[in-house]
Amino acid sequence: MSLVFDERRPNTVAPQPTEAVDPDRFDTEALARYLDQRGQNHGRLYVQRFTGARSNPTFLIDSGDHADRAQFVLRQHASPASSGSAGRLEREYRVMAALAATPSVPVPAVQGYCADESVLGGAFYLMDYVPGRTLDDPRLAALPTEQRGGVYRGMVDTLAALHEVDVAEVGLTGFGPVHGHLARQAASWQYQYEQAVGTPDPAMAALGDWLVVNMPAGTAPTITHGDFRLANLMFAADRAELAAVLDWELATLGHPLADLAYACLPYYLPDDMELLPGMLGLNLTAWGIPDESELLARYRSIRGLPPIEGWPVFIAYALFGMAALAQTAQARAFPGEAHSEQGLRVAQQVGELAELGWQMARYHQTAC
């Protein structure tokens, strides 16, 4: 997950942003030799780094301006100090390869995984470059009003299609434990959060303890993305059509409503929330955006599901996860700066997310 504090309020439709790479920090000749050994002789390679990829460095590889020009993406294990990230990278490659034959869940075609760290200094995999744009702003302010509903409906249609994929048929049996996904993940988030802060926020501590013992019973596990939101979806450059689902490093087998709740979080967050701006208080009809009830009904219809029980618990779970991972990302990116201005602002918003999640949990208790 790439939640980090950002001064900018996203309000534009943007292509995938890149920046130049220092030749001394990326060995293009070593990559060219590796590709040549695989029968892919592209000649001289040019490299740019995608600026939005924070968990694992991601690069656009371009063979130059000629008739047989090739463009592809390289995603690399961050560093030996990034605990577990090499394993997550390999899992990300595996799930994308498995989903290649499912057109209803578009993913970039993967070209190969290299575990040999001597090639580029870390494990990596290659995939096709999917041109397009990201739509970070949940209001979709830069799109015409008539296109906004299609974006959200396409998002939930794709998520429902993902959760309908036959796990065994695509070769992902054993991709994750089949029982206790929600409680196990809540406990993991709680541990990560506690390691990232000196003194836990009271609402975070209370919510984490509550979730570990109160998550709904499991259902038949599906492939779950783990970070399903607009920012991880690539849309066509000239229309509101979903071109690819990206950033699969948190994918596992688990409870599908965890994904759905995360995708619905903008309905619960104010539009000035810097960690993840939302749509709370927005006149959705005027903006051409379907409300949450419409998306939930659409998801249920596609999957043939009954009304969802305990929905506030899933929202509380998603809020807790977002808060915990944001705090963890802050601590990892800026170690020792918990009391800096930025660190304090992140902690404040983490506390606000936790309080909202705790309110949802208490509401569920009262309703029951």
Side-chain angles (χ1 to χ4, degrees), residues 108-139:
V110 292
Q111 301 178 14
Y113 180 85
C114 178
D116 184 355
E117 296 190 358
S118 69
V119 177
L120 291 178
F124 65 91
Y125 72 86
L126 301 171
M127 59 181 164
D128 285 0
Y129 170 63
V130 179
R133 55 187 177 172
T134 55
L135 305 172
D136 290 346
D137 177 8
R139 302 169 308 167

Side-chain angles (χ1 to χ4, degrees), residues 14-366:
Q16 299 156 281
T18 59
E19 62 185 7
V21 175
D22 185 343
D24 294 332
R25 302 187 64 179
F26 192 102
D27 192 342
T28 55
E29 293 184 1
L31 177 60
R33 288 193 297 271
Y34 170 80
L35 293 172
D36 190 49
Q37 292 167 3
R38 292 166 49 87
Q40 297 175 265
N41 188 342
H42 296 296
R44 183 177 180 181
L45 300 176
Y46 302 86
V47 181
Q48 290 184 301
R49 179 170 176 164
F50 291 105
T51 57
R54 302 178 188 273
S55 52
N56 288 300
T58 306
F59 304 91
L60 174 63
I61 313 297
D62 196 322
S63 65
D65 189 12
H66 50 75
D68 57 348
R69 177 185 184 183
Q71 285 186 305
F72 51 94
V73 172
L74 184 149
R75 189 152 159 88
Q76 187 176 27
H77 168 34
S79 71
S82 300
S83 175
S85 72
R88 291 196 298 270
L89 193 75
E90 186 171 12
R91 287 174 60 82
E92 181 173 76
Y93 173 82
R94 180 182 171 192
V95 72
M96 291 172 67
L99 291 171
T102 56
S104 57
V105 186
V107 295
V110 292
Q111 301 178 14
Y113 180 85
C114 178
D116 184 355
E117 296 190 358
S118 69
V119 177
L120 291 178
F124 65 91
Y125 72 86
L126 301 171
M127 59 181 164
D128 285 0
Y129 170 63
V130 179
R133 55 187 177 172
T134 55
L135 305 172
D136 290 346
D137 177 8
R139 302 169 308 167
L140 303 176
L143 288 184
T145 303
E146 63 271 15
Q147 291 187 15
R148 295 171 188 158
V151 167
Y152 276 95
R153 295 181 188 101
M155 178 183 75
V156 80
D157 289 358
T158 299
L159 184 60
L162 170 65
H163 295 158
E164 284 294 296
V165 171
D166 187 307
V167 173
E169 187 175 308
V170 297
L172 289 178
T173 302
F175 190 64
V178 296
H179 301 294
H181 165 236
L182 297 176
R184 185 174 61 253
Q185 184 61 71
S188 175
W189 283 335
Q190 186 174 39
Y191 175 78
Q192 291 176 51
Y193 170 75
E194 291 172 349
Q195 295 299 302
V197 296
T199 303
D201 178 88
M204 279 293 287
L207 180 58
D209 290 342
W210 187 88
L211 286 171
V212 169
V213 297
N214 285 281
M215 289 308 302
T219 185
T222 69
I223 302 169
T224 58
H225 180 275
D227 192 11
F228 197 88
R229 55 195 171 101
L230 277 179
N232 286 329
L233 306 180
M234 184 63 59
F235 289 83
D238 58 351
R239 58 195 182 280
E241 178 180 309
L242 203 158
V245 182
L246 309 175
D247 203 357
W248 290 86
E249 65 178 290
L250 298 180
T252 188
L253 301 184
H255 201 303
L257 295 186
D259 272 348
L260 184 60
Y262 201 81
C264 288
L265 279 186
Y267 290 108
Y268 296 86
L269 303 176
D271 66 359
D272 60 352
M273 174 69 73
E274 292 170 277
L275 288 174
L276 183 63
M279 301 185 292
L280 188 64
L282 199 68
N283 185 333
L284 297 176
T285 301
W287 280 74
I289 296 173
D291 63 22
E292 184 192 53
S293 63
E294 179 183 335
L295 291 190
L296 295 182
R298 189 179 183 93
Y299 176 88
R300 288 174 39 232
S301 176
I302 293 171
R303 300 199 62 215
L305 300 178
I308 297 171
E309 295 185 4
W311 182 242
V313 182
F314 290 98
I315 295 298
Y317 167 88
L319 286 164
F320 180 74
M322 188 179 77
L325 290 171
Q327 187 71 69
T328 302
Q330 163 70 17
R332 184 171 59 242
F334 304 100
E337 296 186 20
H339 298 289
S340 67
E341 180 181 357
Q342 175 172 299
L344 292 172
R345 287 160 67 191
V346 169
Q348 176 186 348
Q349 294 212 354
V350 164
E352 292 171 1
L353 291 170
E355 182 56 42
L356 177 57
W358 188 223
Q359 289 174 16
M360 298 296 292
R362 292 196 298 265
Y363 170 80
H364 172 72
Q365 287 180 308
T366 303

